[in-house]
Amino acid sequence: MRADEENLPRQECAVTVLGGPTAVIDLGGLRIVVDPTFDDPGPHGYLTKTIGPAVPESRLGPVDAVLVSHDAHPDNLDGRGRAFAMAAPLTLTVPGAAGRLGPRAAGLAPWSTRTLPRRDGGGGELTVQAVPAVHGPEDGERDPQGHINCEVTGFVLSGTGLPTVYVSGDNASMRAVAEIARRVPDIDAAVLNAGAARVRGKFRERPVSMDARRVAAAAAVLGVAVVIPAHYDGWTHFSEGRAELETAFDEAGLSALLRLTGHGSWSPLRG
C-alpha cells in the first residue's frame, strides 16, 4: 500500500456507501461491511456494472463481520466481494447461502440473532438480527422454498447505548417494512436499497427493489431520524437515482432525514 492509500479511517458511529449496495458501518467499535462488491466495471452475466467502488477492499483495514443479504446476484456479491466475504472472520447471510460462503459463514433465518463482542471499551455486545425482505413484487412467482426472485434478508443492528440501524438489503416490500417497524419499534437509522431496479424478463419488468417514493414511505413507517440510500447507481438496471430520491423526500416533507453524501464519505448514524 502506498503512503497516499491509507486505510479508510475508523468512525465512532457512522456509515459510508462505497457504491452499489456496498456499505461500511462502524458501530460499537466494530467495522461491518454490507454486500461487498469490489469488481471493476463491466458485464456480469445479464447485468452490467458502470462504476467501481469508491474505496477498494484493500483500504478497509481489519473487518469484524460481513453481512450478505443474498449471494444469488452479482450486483450484491461479485467475484472480489465473494472472496472478501469468505476471508472475513464472520459472514452473516441467509441460511441457503451459508454453505456456499465458507466455514466462517453463518445463516440467519428471519428474526434470529447473532451477537458480536463490542470493541468500543464499554463492554457488552452488538446484536445482529435477520429481518424479512422480498426481492420483487408481492405477487411474484415463488420458488419451492417460498422466495420471490431468491432468498434474501435484511438486518437490524443494535446494542446498549448505540443507535439501532436497519439495513434493508434488496427489499421491495412495504409489508415487510411494516412488520419490521411493528416488531422493532425503536429504529434510529436505516440504510435502504433504492434504485427501482428492473430486469428484462422478470416480473413484467416491475421493480425488484424500492423506488424513491417507497424509500420515503419506508422512512416514515419506520420513524427513523436518518436515512442513507444505497444501491441506486453503478449498474444499468437501475431506473431511478439520486434525483428521484431527493424529489421523493422533498415531496414527502422528509428531506431532513435524507443523507445523500458522495460515495466514500461518512454519514453519522445519529440524527
Side-chain angles (χ1 to χ4, degrees):
M1 181 183 300
R2 300 196 311 265
D4 60 345
E5 292 182 331
E6 297 179 355
N7 285 344
L8 188 68
R10 291 269 175 168
Q11 306 294 309
E12 180 179 345
C13 184
V15 61
T16 180
V17 175
L18 303 184
T22 307
V24 178
I25 301 173
D26 282 359
L27 188 64
L30 303 173
R31 173 154 287 184
I32 297 170
V33 177
V34 179
D35 284 345
T37 54
F38 296 112
D39 284 358
D40 294 330
H44 289 69
Y46 60 90
L47 301 177
T48 300
K49 187 175 187 178
T50 61
I51 302 172
V55 180
E57 65 269 46
S58 61
R59 290 183 50 209
L60 297 187
V63 168
D64 297 285
V66 172
L67 307 181
V68 175
S69 65
H70 62 297
D71 73 332
H73 300 142
D75 60 323
N76 286 81
L77 190 69
D78 58 19
R80 281 164 56 183
R82 186 176 295 269
F84 182 85
M86 294 181 73
L90 173 67
T91 293
L92 300 176
T93 187
V94 290
R100 297 187 289 267
L101 293 178
R104 287 176 284 192
L108 292 179
W111 308 115
S112 63
T113 62
R114 179 74 176 252
T115 56
L116 287 69
R118 287 165 58 173
R119 300 181 185 275
D120 54 0
E125 297 173 324
L126 179 74
T127 297
V128 180
Q129 182 175 39
V131 294
V134 180
H135 198 356
E138 293 277 5
D139 62 353
E141 182 180 356
R142 294 181 181 268
D143 65 21
Q145 290 73 45
H147 307 303
I148 295 174
N149 204 350
C150 69
E151 185 182 21
V152 64
T153 190
F155 301 93
V156 172
L157 314 180
S158 62
T160 302
L162 298 174
T164 297
V165 183
Y166 166 50
V167 180
S168 73
D170 272 355
N171 174 57
S173 169
M174 286 302 301
R175 184 177 296 174
V177 171
E179 184 181 8
I180 293 162
R182 179 177 61 84
R183 295 185 60 159
V184 190
D186 297 316
I187 298 175
D188 300 292
V191 181
L192 301 178
N193 284 11
R198 302 174 192 267
V199 180
R200 182 172 299 177
K202 283 192 174 183
F203 310 118
R204 306 199 311 272
E205 297 187 26
R206 292 177 292 169
V208 298
S209 62
M210 286 191 179
D211 62 18
R213 289 181 181 273
R214 277 187 281 178
V215 172
V221 170
L222 293 163
V224 294
V226 173
V227 175
I228 301 100
H231 213 20
Y232 58 87
D233 64 0
W235 294 82
T236 59
H237 60 296
F238 294 125
S239 62
E240 294 185 356
R242 183 186 185 104
E244 287 82 1
L245 284 162
E246 291 174 334
T247 297
F249 274 74
D250 178 55
E251 291 182 347
L254 299 174
S255 293
L257 310 183
L258 189 61
R259 306 291 186 269
L260 267 173
T261 59
H263 294 335
S265 298
W266 291 97
S267 294
L269 285 166
R270 301 185 192 274

